[in-house]
């Protein structure tokens, strides 16, 4: 594809300032009550205590509309439009590093941490670890999937596990390793529209499970590299994967790669989010790119690259689009939202969407 240079024609700092001005009334009127019974550990001297949290590694919205934020140092945080509640030791949630969040068909919340998996039934937390069959406790980012049938998949740095509710009820180990996969370093688990389960790994490419057999897409299958950092599916049904040098689209037959030569910003690519509209966001070391795949390439209007020079953090760690269409960003500098054309930081007092 033809190389071109993306030019950013606006200052994100200015946009942030104007956005805060626009949302000032909402922020004052909708500030939630902070419910927190512990102090954040490991604070840097310049830590901003007005942030939801310094590091937000995962974001999820449950069936009731509550937003959940997985942090490093602040446990798990729930925003229910009235309260911003922090769960940690007092509530039985010992781990303070949360990398994955999901909800099962019964309304239980599941959290992937560095100490195994936690389940929250709305009242109490329960930890699953080695005694429950979960031999590897480091849960990977974006690696808890509740599929359409209700089955729960958990990805670790050494393999993928499945939860067995019946065994759990009988007091037996409730997690077992998914034997059809090797012990991959899991980077993402995703279910597509037709029910296939996809597994991204950082060392052996991408795997697809159709309910019976496993197919491995790797360097030999033109995936680019054996590293895969994220998975998404666009409205047309194409699969998209992150690899070290960019992203690639898989239409079921061929792979099409997009790299910095085509307009992506940054190096060492990490994550991908496809909005319901089809807009694709790609995070990388040093930048975040907005890609409109409906614009034929080469065309500089297809890519907009945001860097720290534009006032936005370079350390995006999670992305999520909520039920109302708003896109949320978890970073190394707190929580951000994107409102059509601009980013703004969301602190404890807001501005929140209600």
């Amino acid at each position: 594809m033809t190389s071109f240079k993306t030019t950013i024609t606006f200052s994100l700092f200015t946009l942030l300032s104007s956005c805060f001005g626009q949302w000032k009334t909402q922020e004052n009127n909708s500030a939630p009550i902070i419910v927190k019974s512990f102090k954040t550990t490991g604070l840097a001297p310049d830590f901003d205590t007005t942030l939801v949290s310094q590091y937000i590694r995962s974001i999820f919205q449950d069936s009731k509309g509550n937003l959940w934020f997985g942090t490093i140092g602040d446990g798990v945080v729930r925003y229910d439009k009235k309260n911003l509640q922090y769960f940690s030791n007092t509530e039985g949630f010992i781990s303070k590093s949360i990398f994955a969040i999901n909800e099962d068909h019964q309304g239980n919340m599941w959290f992937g941490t560095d100490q195994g998996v936690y389940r929250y039934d709305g009242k109490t937390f329960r930890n699953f670890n080695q005694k429950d069959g979960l031999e590897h406790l480091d849960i990977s980012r974006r690696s808890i999937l509740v599929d359409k049938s209700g089955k729960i998949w958990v990805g670790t740095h050494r393999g993928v596990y499945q939860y067995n509710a019946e065994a759990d009820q009988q007091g037996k180990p409730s997690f077992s390793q998914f034997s059809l996969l090797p012990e991959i370093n899991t980077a993402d688990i995703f279910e597509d529209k037709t029910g296939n389960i996809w597994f991204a790994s950082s060392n052996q490419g991408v795997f697809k499970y159709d309910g019976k057999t496993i197919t491995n897409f790797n360097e030999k299958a033109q995936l680019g590299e054996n590293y895969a950092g994220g998975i998404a599916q666009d409205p047309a049904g194409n699969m998209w994967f992150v690899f070290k040098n960019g992203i690639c689209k898989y239409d079921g037959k061929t792979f099409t790669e997009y790299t910095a030569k085509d307009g992506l910003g940054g190096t060492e690519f990490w994550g991908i989010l496809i909005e319901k509209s089809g807009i694709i966001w790609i995070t990388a070391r040093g930048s975040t790119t907005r890609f409109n795949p409906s614009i034929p390439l080469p065309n500089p209007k297809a890519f907009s690259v945001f860097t720290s020079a534009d006032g936005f953090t370079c350390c995006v760690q999670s992305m999520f689009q909520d039920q109302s269409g708003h896109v949320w960003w978890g970073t190394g500098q707190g929580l951000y939202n994107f409102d059509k054309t601009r980013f703004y930081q969301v602190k404890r007092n807001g501005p929140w969407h209600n």
Side-chain angles (χ1 to χ4, degrees):
M1 295 190 176
T2 304
S3 172
F4 57 83
K5 182 178 180 181
T6 302
T7 303
I8 303 301
T9 58
F10 57 87
S11 168
L12 194 54
F13 177 80
T14 302
L15 292 174
L16 286 168
S17 300
S18 64
C19 192
F20 276 120
Q22 176 183 348
W23 287 83
K24 185 175 181 180
T25 302
Q26 179 184 358
E27 181 175 354
N28 292 337
N29 292 339
S30 61
I33 298 172
I34 309 300
V35 182
K36 187 175 182 181
S37 59
F38 63 95
K39 292 183 178 180
T40 303
T41 57
L43 291 181
D46 59 347
F47 179 78
D48 186 351
T49 57
T50 67
L51 299 177
V52 174
S53 183
Q54 176 77 50
Y55 299 100
I56 297 179
R57 301 301 297 271
S58 53
I59 305 172
F60 183 81
Q61 187 173 34
D62 65 25
S63 57
K64 297 178 181 177
N66 302 314
L67 286 169
W68 296 82
F69 306 103
T71 77
I72 293 181
D74 279 311
V76 65
V77 187
R78 181 183 66 194
Y79 172 65
D80 63 5
K81 299 184 180 179
K82 293 182 180 180
N83 301 298
L84 191 66
Q85 184 163 4
Y86 291 73
F87 297 94
S88 190
N89 296 44
T90 305
E91 296 78 22
F93 194 92
I94 307 303
S95 176
K96 288 191 172 69
S97 298
I98 298 88
F99 306 107
I101 308 174
N102 215 318
E103 180 183 15
D104 66 25
H105 291 186
Q106 288 72 46
N108 300 304
M109 299 299 301
W110 293 79
F111 306 96
T113 77
D114 59 351
Q115 296 181 21
V117 174
Y118 282 82
R119 183 179 66 195
Y120 180 58
D121 63 6
K123 296 180 180 180
T124 59
F125 287 91
R126 177 185 169 186
N127 178 230
F128 295 86
N129 50 42
Q130 289 102 331
K131 72 180 187 309
D132 304 289
L134 195 62
E135 298 177 11
H136 304 288
L137 299 183
D138 287 328
I139 311 304
S140 305
R141 284 195 293 170
R142 304 180 302 274
S143 291
I144 294 182
L145 171 71
V146 180
D147 67 24
K148 294 180 178 68
S149 70
K151 185 175 295 183
I152 298 172
W153 303 78
V154 175
T156 74
H157 294 303
R158 289 190 61 185
V160 174
Y161 289 78
Q162 293 176 308
Y163 170 72
N164 186 322
E166 184 177 348
D168 193 7
Q169 293 170 358
Q170 296 174 357
K172 300 177 181 179
S174 50
F175 278 91
S176 59
Q177 193 161 15
F178 184 50
S179 60
L180 294 183
L181 282 175
E183 289 191 349
I184 59 173
N185 188 345
T186 316
D188 198 354
I189 307 178
F190 183 89
E191 183 177 18
D192 67 24
K193 297 175 182 178
T194 60
N196 297 310
I197 310 295
W198 296 80
F199 308 90
S201 75
S202 62
N203 55 352
Q204 297 186 52
V206 173
F207 296 81
K208 182 181 76 171
Y209 176 57
D210 63 5
K212 295 181 179 179
T213 59
I214 291 285
T215 305
N216 182 210
F217 300 92
N218 50 37
E219 194 170 13
K220 294 181 179 179
Q222 289 82 49
L223 183 58
E225 294 182 354
N226 285 337
Y227 170 88
I231 309 172
Q233 187 174 30
D234 65 27
N238 299 304
M239 299 299 300
W240 293 78
F241 309 106
V242 178
F243 63 102
K244 285 185 179 178
N245 294 323
I247 60 174
C248 63
K249 178 178 73 174
Y250 179 61
D251 62 7
K253 296 181 179 179
T254 59
F255 290 94
T256 303
E257 295 184 355
Y258 301 84
T259 68
K261 294 180 180 179
D262 302 300
L264 293 180
T267 59
E268 192 179 336
F269 293 85
W270 294 333
I272 185 169
L273 170 73
I274 300 182
E275 294 187 38
K276 299 169 187 175
S277 65
I279 294 297
I280 302 175
W281 292 92
I282 307 100
T283 58
R285 181 177 297 280
S287 71
T288 294
T289 302
R290 182 182 186 272
F291 172 34
N292 185 347
S294 67
I295 298 177
L297 300 181
N299 190 329
K301 293 183 179 180
F303 297 89
S304 297
V305 180
F306 304 93
T307 68
S308 56
D310 301 297
F312 189 52
T313 176
C314 66
C315 302
V316 176
Q317 301 175 3
S318 56
M319 296 182 286
F320 184 82
Q321 185 175 28
D322 66 23
Q323 296 161 6
S324 61
H326 297 116
V327 178
W328 298 84
W329 308 78
T331 77
Q333 295 176 350
L335 180 67
Y336 284 79
N337 201 273
F338 187 78
D339 187 16
K340 303 296 183 182
T341 58
R342 54 194 169 209
F343 290 98
Y344 57 91
Q345 194 174 44
V346 180
K347 297 192 176 184
R348 289 183 178 180
N349 289 334
W352 296 92
H353 289 291
N354 287 317

